[in-house]
Amino acid sequence: MDIEKLALIRNIARTLAEQSLYDVNLILHELQIVEITAEAWESRSSSSATGSRTCIVIEKIRDLSPSAIDDLAHSVRELFGIVISVESKRATAPLQLFASHLTTQKALVGQVGEYLHKWGVSLFVAHTSIEPDTEWQREIERVLDSCDAGVVFFSPKFIESRWCDQEVGWLMGRQVPCYSLRFNNETPYVHLAKSKLTASPMG
């Protein structure tokens, strides 16, 4: 259960419950959520209106993703000058990158990971990050599903690796940034070659 998300939803709903229906519906429209009718809003005009209207807003926004809730909190703050915040572990979590590379590069990639760690960046290197008793494929898939971006160590014979090829496809399928580090003038292929996120060739 995402307690931070639930707390943020409640705070947002309480704030919106105190705004005009016009402003609330403007936000819902932008989120492509069905707007609240004037009848439903005005029917909560008793002394406990704020609490009742809070429930209406919660029902409207509770299915949004955590990132959408964060964006909504930011928008409400900008629109109404009201601070909406919940101490979030997501905000302090280190940036997590997935390193797609050949086995022959594990020493180099490991060194890169150690350097990035000094800057608060976590680089997942399969050959060193996975515990001996962890199921290899399942752990790789878990990180591919949760990482913030991928770093592709593109070197000769990279295209021949079934693992690397599928890792890149997985990352690009999630539409997360994929950075290519090119070695020996190797050129990224297919979709990776079209990525706007490129790095200078490396010797």
Side-chain angles (χ1 to χ4, degrees):
M1 183 179 294
D2 192 337
I3 301 299
E4 294 168 7
K5 175 186 174 182
L6 297 180
L8 198 52
I9 286 174
R10 290 178 64 186
N11 289 344
I12 291 172
R14 287 170 181 164
T15 299
L16 291 181
E18 298 175 354
Q19 311 307 317
S20 70
L21 178 60
Y22 176 85
D23 286 332
V24 174
N25 276 340
L26 183 64
I27 292 173
L28 294 179
H29 179 78
E30 187 67 19
L31 293 170
Q32 298 183 338
I33 295 176
V34 177
E35 298 175 19
I36 301 169
T37 65
E39 180 181 2
W41 194 252
E42 293 305 322
S43 67
R44 310 300 176 93
S45 59
S46 65
S47 59
S48 60
T50 300
S52 299
R53 289 175 178 174
T54 297
C55 295
I56 295 178
V57 178
I58 287 177
E59 291 174 0
K60 292 291 185 179
I61 68 174
R62 63 188 177 190
D63 292 329
L64 294 175
S65 67
S67 61
I69 292 295
D70 288 340
D71 290 342
L72 178 56
H74 174 76
S75 299
V76 170
R77 181 175 68 245
E78 293 296 315
L79 286 171
F80 306 115
I82 300 172
V83 177
I84 298 179
S85 62
V86 171
E87 185 176 350
S88 175
K89 294 180 180 178
R90 292 193 300 272
T92 58
L95 180 70
Q96 185 174 51
L97 307 179
F98 182 95
S100 183
H101 63 94
L102 298 175
T103 305
T104 54
Q105 295 177 297
K106 64 180 181 180
L108 168 65
V109 180
Q111 291 176 353
V112 172
E114 291 176 4
Y115 179 81
L116 291 176
H117 180 71
K118 298 177 182 178
W119 294 89
V121 177
S122 173
L123 181 68
F124 179 85
V125 184
H127 298 90
T128 58
S129 299
I130 300 179
E131 296 297 330
D133 60 346
T134 302
E135 187 178 339
W136 183 274
Q137 182 174 345
R138 181 177 298 175
E139 181 65 4
I140 288 179
E141 290 177 353
R142 183 190 68 78
V143 180
L144 284 170
D145 263 340
S146 61
C147 66
D148 300 301
V151 181
V152 181
F153 291 76
F154 201 80
S155 61
K157 297 187 178 181
F158 184 94
I159 194 172
E160 298 176 14
S161 169
R162 293 184 179 180
W163 278 101
C164 291
D165 199 48
Q166 290 188 47
E167 289 166 357
V168 172
W170 195 305
L171 292 168
M172 301 202 75
R174 285 185 56 218
Q175 298 184 346
V176 297
C178 251
Y179 296 87
S180 292
L181 298 180
R182 297 163 53 192
F183 295 82
N184 297 332
N185 295 318
E186 286 293 304
T187 303
Y189 53 89
V190 195
H191 299 297
L192 191 57
K194 298 179 181 178
S195 175
K196 295 179 181 179
L197 302 171
T198 56
S200 301
M202 301 180 68

